[in-house]
Amino acid sequence: MDYGTIILRTIFIYFIILFVLRFMGKREIGQLSVLDFVVSIMIAELAVVSIENIQVPMLHTIVPIVMLSLIQIFFAFLSLKSEKLRKLVDGRPSVLINKGKIDEGEMRKQRYNFDDLLIQLRQNNVHNIADVEFAILEPSGQLSVIEKDNNNDKNHVSLPLPLILDGNVQKEHLQKLNQTELWLRQEMRKLGYRDIKKISYCALQGDRSFFVDLKDEK
């Protein structure tokens, strides 16, 4: 066995993968979706084949790795332009605890048991389910937790739902607030925003005020 060749291949593949992951973006490291996870596994398998089988030319491994990274970047670019594709590829968040009530049906749908819930609550430094107002299972598998505001019971905590994303009205979120798109447009006009398409992000805050961020605003 040519150990020198194996060592050189290992070093070379290491830098290739490092470059590819950096090129694909920080999201690949910090927040893996299902698609990201699949691509990462495939790249890892190709790297192992290249290191173990020195009879196979390295180009036969590098080309598929580069192609996988380009495919991933292409889908990431398309998901920026298409909300439907973004939801199809990345999935959507699931509310497991809603206004202090556990949604067992949603947990079954996500194949998520109470042990999983308690473990992730502890990882969020929450030791009592009774202290949780909302628990949201993100597409990455992480659990986002919003605790109850026990110091101010009059102002009930509301789930921070985006009403506008990338210029598109989130009708599902409006329905949860028992409001219509007409109401939202009227509220935006009151604030001086007449073109919804120019709004990058809009959400209703706990004090019933709107947080609005315009596209490409400096």
Side-chain angles (χ1 to χ4, degrees), residues 95-103 121 126 128-136 144-150 152-153 155-160:
V95 181
L96 303 184
I97 299 179
N98 189 0
K99 297 180 180 178
K101 302 295 183 181
I102 299 174
D103 190 337
L121 286 177
V126 177
N128 190 351
I129 292 182
D131 296 332
V132 179
E133 186 73 9
F134 295 99
I136 306 157
S144 299
V145 179
I146 301 174
E147 296 186 63
K148 293 179 180 178
D149 185 4
N150 296 322
N152 194 355
D153 295 329
N155 293 330
H156 186 68
V157 179
S158 60
L159 182 62

Side-chain angles (χ1 to χ4, degrees), residues 73-84:
I73 292 169
F74 176 72
F75 272 108
F77 176 77
L78 287 182
S79 67
L80 291 175
K81 303 295 182 180
S82 172
E83 182 183 355
K84 291 182 179 179

Side-chain angles (χ1 to χ4, degrees), residues 18-149:
L18 181 63
F19 172 77
V20 166
L21 291 178
R22 293 291 292 172
F23 186 63
M24 288 168 65
K26 292 182 179 179
R27 181 174 176 272
E28 306 305 319
I29 300 172
Q31 189 180 7
L32 292 178
S33 66
V34 174
L35 185 59
D36 301 332
F37 185 64
V38 170
V39 170
S40 299
I41 290 177
M42 292 180 70
I43 289 176
E45 288 293 331
L46 287 168
V48 170
V49 170
S50 178
I51 293 171
E52 287 186 342
N53 194 346
I54 60 176
Q55 282 75 33
V56 176
M58 290 196 67
L59 194 62
H60 290 185
T61 302
I62 295 174
V63 170
I65 289 176
V66 173
M67 283 301 300
L68 283 171
S69 65
L70 292 177
I71 291 171
Q72 184 70 351
I73 292 169
F74 176 72
F75 272 108
F77 176 77
L78 287 182
S79 67
L80 291 175
K81 303 295 182 180
S82 172
E83 182 183 355
K84 291 182 179 179
L85 179 62
R86 186 162 60 244
K87 290 180 178 179
L88 178 64
V89 174
D90 294 336
R92 62 181 65 194
S94 300
V95 181
L96 303 184
I97 299 179
N98 189 0
K99 297 180 180 178
K101 302 295 183 181
I102 299 174
D103 190 337
E104 290 85 358
E106 187 64 27
M107 288 181 63
R108 286 192 294 269
K109 182 179 177 181
Q110 301 299 325
R111 294 178 294 279
Y112 199 86
N113 58 51
F114 277 94
D115 287 334
D116 297 326
L117 179 62
L118 293 173
I119 289 172
Q120 292 219 34
L121 286 177
R122 288 194 294 270
Q123 290 174 346
N124 281 276
N125 295 319
V126 177
H127 302 285
N128 190 351
I129 292 182
D131 296 332
V132 179
E133 186 73 9
F134 295 99
I136 306 157
L137 184 63
E138 307 292 356
S140 63
Q142 295 179 339
L143 190 71
S144 299
V145 179
I146 301 174
E147 296 186 63
K148 293 179 180 178
D149 185 4

Side-chain angles (χ1 to χ4, degrees), residues 194-205:
R194 296 188 175 276
D195 190 354
I196 295 291
K197 293 296 182 181
K198 292 182 179 180
I199 298 177
S200 174
Y201 177 86
C202 171
L204 188 64
Q205 302 182 101

